[in-house]
């Protein structure tokens, strides 16, 4: 109990002053809540696998996992070989290798997109109609059998004039097929590519509204990702950030911003040999995307590498090291998702992700434990840091890099619910003591 005399508390302002200020800021409060709702708190996949629509089949996910395991068996048959190929430390090589194999056996693909755009190309209308209907049937059956990836959907053709009608029809066939096969799955994702103007996003919103009305779905049920592949999607002619306009035009339906490495690089005139996700032009585009999406609940995804791990072991290891390095670089920059274009990319996708979370796991858990117990330490953490620490641990749990029991033990008994509470604090909690 505090000792000494009780302080006399005096104020000078009338209560009406605070009331008037609150009234004047009420529209701003509402705008902040509407535009910046924060992260949705759902799982974000670590990657998206693109499969040409004509190559997509009921066994695609299992086939990718089996081919990735075969690549491991051939080019890195044990933990020591895998660790040496990627430069993993001795203490990480075995747990990362074991978790990668387990992941490829259990859940090789976290997010799959049946590609009707660049990976599929222009086909006769009857052929694309049939392929779209088949894709809907196969996806619906996968969810019904429990063999689907956590997230699945299609990349339609874009809203540009030459392919607009075709893209709309393909999306209609796919969504109709899903509904007629039992309903839209929770993990449904639609990707709209090559968006250049906010008006194209508005058109997509109107299209989805029309479909929802026609099929008596809840308004806003269908969201979509916006693919950033052109310079105009980053900077408008008046110097403003076009991507921010696109998010506004999406009217709450945007779920992700995906960076298209090669189309965007080519748009800027980057020669083919230098088109990569670590090019300065790519870094600039993704930084603009990241700032525009921050706090909106829209996730940002990095692009891909087109260097495939195929051929003799020497070539595979070189491609693996490249992919591993690019993935680790993206994770450090808070791009927690990317594209994978070949089954041989899966071992290094998961190796990079697992190493990233396991390397920092103990320190993050200890810091969060000290924060939760107000124990102090050599770092002064605030609510915003606790949010980042818990988010880091939750992502590690979601992808399989970490186990629930070890996280609870290392954090001094914090449960997943506790982590989720720290990861989604009220806005005032983040700012009241923040700097």
């Amino acid at each position: 109990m505090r000792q000494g005399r009780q302080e006399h508390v005096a104020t000078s302002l009338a209560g009406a002053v605070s009331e008037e200020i609150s009234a004047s800021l009420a529209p701003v409060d509402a705008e902040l809540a509407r535009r910046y709702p924060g992260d949705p708190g759902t799982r974000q996949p670590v990657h998206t696998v693109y499969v040409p629509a004509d190559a997509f089949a009921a066994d695609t996910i299992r086939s990718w996992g089996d081919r990735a395991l075969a690549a491991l068996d051939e080019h890195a048959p044990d933990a020591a070989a895998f660790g040496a190929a990627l430069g993993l430390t001795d203490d990480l090589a075995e747990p990362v290798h074991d978790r990668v194999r387990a992941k490829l056996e259990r859940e090789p693909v976290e997010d799959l997109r049946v590609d009707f755009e660049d990976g599929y190309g222009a086909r006769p209308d009857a052929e694309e109609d049939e392929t779209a209907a088949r894709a809907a049937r196969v996806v619906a059956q996968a969810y019904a059998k429990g063999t689907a990836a956590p997230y699945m959907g299609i990349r339609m053709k874009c809203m540009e004039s030459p392919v607009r009608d075709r893209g709309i029809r393909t999306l209609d066939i796919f969504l109709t097929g899903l509904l007629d096969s039992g309903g839209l799955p929770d993990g449904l994702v639609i990707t709209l590519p090559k968006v250049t103007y906010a008006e194209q996003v508005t058109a997509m919103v109107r299209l989805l509204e029309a479909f929802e009305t026609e099929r008596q779905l809840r308004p806003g049920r269908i969201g979509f990702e916006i693919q950033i592949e052109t310079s105009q999607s980053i900077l408008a002619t008046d110097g403003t950030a076009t991507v921010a306009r696109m998010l506004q035009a999406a009217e709450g339906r945007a779920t992700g911003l995906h960076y298209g490495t090669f189309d965007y690089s080519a748009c800027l005139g980057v020669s083919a040999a230098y088109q990569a996700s670590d090019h300065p032009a790519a870094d600039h585009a993704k930084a603009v995307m990241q700032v525009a999406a921050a706090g909106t609940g829209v996730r940002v995804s990095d692009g891909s590498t087109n260097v495939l791990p195929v051929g003799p072991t020497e070539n595979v290891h070189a491609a693996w090291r490249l992919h591993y390095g690019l993935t680790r670089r993206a994770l450090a920059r808070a791009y927690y998702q990317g594209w994978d274009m070949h089954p041989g990319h899966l071992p290094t996708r998961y190796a990079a992700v697992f190493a990233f979370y396991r390397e920092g796991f103990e320190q993050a858990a200890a810091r969060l434990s000290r924060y939760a117990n107000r124990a102090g330490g050599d770092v002064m953490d605030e609510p915003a840091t606790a949010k980042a620490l818990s988010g880091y641990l939750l992502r590690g749990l979601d992808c399989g890099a970490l186990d629930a029991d070890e996280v609870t033990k290392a954090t001094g008994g914090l449960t997943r619910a506790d982590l989720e509470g720290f990861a989604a604090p009220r806005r005032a909690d983040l700012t009241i003591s923040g700097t």
Side-chain angles (χ1 to χ4, degrees):
M1 183 174 179
R2 295 175 61 184
Q3 301 296 321
R5 70 177 189 179
Q6 185 175 2
E7 291 291 343
H8 173 66
V9 178
T11 62
S12 300
L13 296 175
V17 174
S18 179
E19 293 174 1
E20 290 173 4
I21 289 175
S22 293
S24 70
L25 289 177
V28 173
D29 295 338
E31 185 78 349
L32 280 171
R34 183 175 71 85
R35 293 192 184 278
Y36 299 99
D39 190 86
T42 55
R43 175 183 179 180
Q44 181 180 10
V46 302
H47 69 167
T48 301
V49 163
Y50 282 81
V51 178
D54 57 325
F56 175 63
D59 65 346
T60 292
I61 293 175
R62 187 62 264 154
S63 173
W64 272 59
D66 290 343
R67 290 168 65 187
L69 286 166
L72 270 180
D73 290 338
E74 180 177 357
H75 302 292
D78 54 38
F82 195 48
L86 301 181
L88 296 174
T89 58
D90 291 341
D91 61 319
L92 272 179
E94 187 168 347
V96 166
H97 174 265
D98 291 349
R99 285 174 184 270
V100 167
R101 289 199 66 93
K103 180 75 169 180
L104 295 175
E105 292 167 355
R106 182 186 74 255
E107 186 183 72
V109 175
E110 292 196 358
D111 183 24
L112 185 143
R113 208 70 71 248
V114 183
D115 189 13
F116 284 89
E117 205 230 354
D118 287 347
Y120 184 73
R123 307 291 180 99
D125 283 338
E127 180 180 346
E128 184 158 342
D129 283 355
E130 184 176 352
T131 305
R134 181 176 59 82
R137 175 177 54 80
V138 173
V139 169
Q141 290 174 348
Y143 275 104
K145 294 177 180 178
T147 58
Y151 298 92
M152 295 183 76
I154 67 168
R155 178 168 71 165
M156 59 189 283
K157 290 178 170 63
C158 69
M159 284 290 179
E160 293 178 355
S161 178
V163 295
R164 183 184 304 139
D165 290 344
R166 181 63 260 179
I168 291 172
R169 180 173 174 83
T170 296
L171 179 62
D172 186 5
I173 292 170
F174 180 73
L175 292 177
T176 299
L178 287 177
L179 282 173
D180 292 346
S181 297
L184 302 183
D186 291 338
L188 175 66
V189 187
I190 306 299
T191 304
L192 178 65
K194 293 184 175 59
V195 182
T196 357
Y197 286 85
E199 288 81 359
Q200 293 168 330
V201 174
T202 299
M204 184 67 169
V205 172
R206 299 288 90 82
L207 172 62
L208 296 177
E209 285 178 343
F211 188 89
E212 290 165 352
T213 299
E214 185 67 29
R215 295 305 300 258
Q216 298 182 327
L217 298 174
R218 171 180 58 82
R221 167 64 181 86
I222 308 171
F224 61 97
E225 301 169 334
I226 300 170
Q227 203 155 9
I228 303 301
E229 302 178 88
T230 65
S231 61
Q232 297 93 335
S233 61
I234 293 296
L235 191 69
T237 54
D238 62 0
T240 58
T242 319
V243 66
R245 293 184 187 173
M246 292 177 181
L247 293 180
Q248 182 177 355
E251 300 178 20
R253 292 180 183 264
T255 59
L257 292 173
H258 282 228
Y259 176 68
T261 306
F262 306 104
D263 282 282
Y264 187 86
S265 299
C267 183
L268 267 63
V270 178
S271 60
Y274 297 95
Q275 293 178 0
S277 61
D278 60 351
H279 190 280
D283 284 340
H284 170 259
K286 287 179 287 187
V288 174
M289 292 162 59
Q290 190 175 48
V291 173
T296 65
V298 177
R299 271 82 176 260
V300 175
S301 174
D302 196 5
S304 60
T305 176
N306 59 0
V307 179
L308 304 183
V310 297
T313 295
E314 180 181 2
N315 291 4
V316 171
H317 284 188
W320 273 355
R321 283 191 291 271
L322 173 65
H323 185 238
Y324 178 88
L326 290 173
T327 303
R328 286 299 305 264
R329 183 180 188 272
L331 290 167
R333 286 158 175 75
Y335 307 128
Y336 298 113
Q337 185 175 353
W339 301 11
D340 287 326
M341 301 176 68
H342 187 275
H345 286 142
L346 299 185
T348 38
R349 168 67 61 183
Y350 293 123
V353 171
F354 294 168
F356 176 75
Y357 290 111
R358 295 208 66 81
E359 279 179 356
F361 160 56
E362 291 184 358
Q363 183 185 47
R367 283 180 67 180
L368 187 60
S369 177
R370 289 194 297 269
Y371 175 86
N373 293 292
R374 303 181 182 274
D378 58 354
V379 180
M380 184 180 293
D381 286 328
E382 298 183 345
T385 309
K387 177 181 179 180
L389 291 168
S390 56
Y392 174 88
L393 296 175
L394 286 168
R395 289 179 184 277
L397 286 168
D398 284 342
C399 69
L402 307 175
D403 298 326
D405 289 345
E406 66 177 341
V407 170
T408 297
K409 180 178 179 180
T411 55
L414 296 180
T415 64
R416 183 181 181 98
D418 294 325
L419 298 182
E420 291 173 346
F422 286 122
R426 295 178 301 119
R427 181 180 302 278
D429 293 335
L430 291 176
T431 58
I432 194 168
S433 62
T435 57

